[in-house]
Amino acid sequence: MLRALAAGICLPLIFSGCGKPGDRAVLANVIFVRGNVVFDNGKERARHSQSVTTATMLSAGGRLETSPDAAAALSLIPGIFIQIGGGTEIVIEELRVWKRGDAMVDAMRSRLATLRINRGVIRAFLPDAGSGQCELKVQTDLGTVAAQRGALVSVRWTNGAVRVVCVDGEVHWRSATGGRVDEIPEGYFQDHARNAVSSNSFKPEPTPVSDDAGAQNDVATALDAAAAFEEFILRVRNAPAPKSSHQ
């Protein structure tokens, strides 16, 4: 679905307080929309949702929702991409980068994006490129998924249960009740049900994707998303520089 992305679209990194070194908040870019996708910024006393387009800039604190037949793709921070499936609701909790002053080469010291998924499915792709720490956290009522640079992961939250599928890279799960942090190996998934988490009496073990048809479908969809994001990155990298208005 993402292969309809137009060539030459640029992904500007938008900073709050541009020109100041160190810790900065950023805005997420929308790079693909299909169907009805709405966003509210969460800052107004009475929220007013707006339709999302590729010109929409998404800020931390805002809520994004897709209709059952809709989909969207975002660049949360350079190096952190997500694809959002139909019938999904997420809240963007945090989008931050830490820079080495105003350096232009290897400028990113650390990148962090934090989301909350209230329902639906997202696929996250963190290309193994660049320098410094790069992490995505996806929070649910049952626990938090943490993915590092190089990861490809699917997070599905439906019917009171969370399914986390690690397609590639380093992915961890921490239960909302605390305790240990579980690593989910490549090619494995974990299911976390509300009743099991609340009782704290069951610690699910990773299950091979090959054992479950639904998990295999999640892997295939995530791989398609990653391939489309890689194609998009290549298009942006090869896009001609904008012409000066003085020429």
Side-chain angles (χ1 to χ4, degrees):
M1 72 174 202
L2 294 178
R3 299 191 185 280
L5 291 170
I9 295 177
C10 151
L11 281 178
L13 176 59
I14 305 299
F15 293 105
S16 295
C18 192
K20 298 178 181 179
D23 179 12
R24 307 180 185 190
V26 302
L27 301 179
N29 294 265
V30 180
I31 58 179
F32 175 83
V33 178
R34 184 189 69 203
N36 184 33
V37 182
V38 296
F39 179 79
D40 66 66
N41 61 22
K43 296 179 181 178
E44 299 177 3
R45 183 170 300 175
R47 292 184 172 183
H48 299 287
S49 297
Q50 60 177 316
S51 295
V52 171
T53 71
T54 53
T56 306
M57 307 300 293
L58 308 180
S59 59
R63 179 181 61 89
L64 188 145
E65 185 175 2
T66 62
S67 63
D69 59 348
L74 312 178
S75 171
L76 297 175
I77 292 174
I80 303 179
F81 299 89
I82 63 169
Q83 180 197 82
I84 306 169
T88 298
E89 179 183 324
I90 66 169
V91 177
I92 300 175
E93 299 285 358
E94 183 178 21
L95 300 172
R96 304 202 70 83
V97 301
W98 286 261
K99 291 193 68 180
R100 295 184 176 91
D102 291 321
M104 298 302 292
V105 178
D106 293 331
M108 299 294 178
R109 182 162 54 90
S110 180
R111 290 165 282 174
L112 172 63
T114 303
L115 308 176
R116 169 168 287 276
I117 181 169
N118 294 327
R119 67 175 185 274
V121 58
I122 64 173
R123 296 106 187 173
F125 176 51
L126 289 71
D128 190 7
S131 62
Q133 182 181 3
C134 184
E135 182 177 48
L136 170 67
K137 294 181 179 179
V138 181
Q139 301 171 341
T140 75
D141 288 347
L142 306 185
T144 299
V145 181
Q148 308 297 323
R149 185 174 61 216
L152 175 60
V153 60
S154 170
V155 182
R156 184 179 296 274
W157 173 223
T158 55
N159 301 321
V162 176
R163 169 166 288 188
V164 183
V165 182
C166 177
V167 183
D168 197 7
E170 185 178 345
V171 176
H172 294 88
W173 168 267
R174 179 188 290 274
S175 171
T177 59
R180 72 182 188 187
V181 176
D182 297 325
E183 180 178 358
I184 306 175
E186 297 176 4
Y188 285 75
F189 71 93
Q190 273 189 352
D191 288 333
H192 303 270
R194 187 182 299 278
N195 55 356
V197 171
S198 61
S199 67
N200 201 30
S201 60
F202 176 67
K203 298 293 185 182
E205 294 298 326
T207 303
V209 166
S210 58
D211 290 354
D212 187 276
Q216 292 172 24
N217 183 67
D218 284 336
V219 168
T221 307
L223 287 171
D224 285 344
F229 281 130
E230 288 178 336
E231 179 181 337
F232 177 76
I233 293 167
L234 184 62
R235 289 177 176 179
V236 171
R237 184 179 299 153
N238 295 333
K243 294 182 179 180
S244 171
S245 60
H246 299 291
Q247 293 180 350

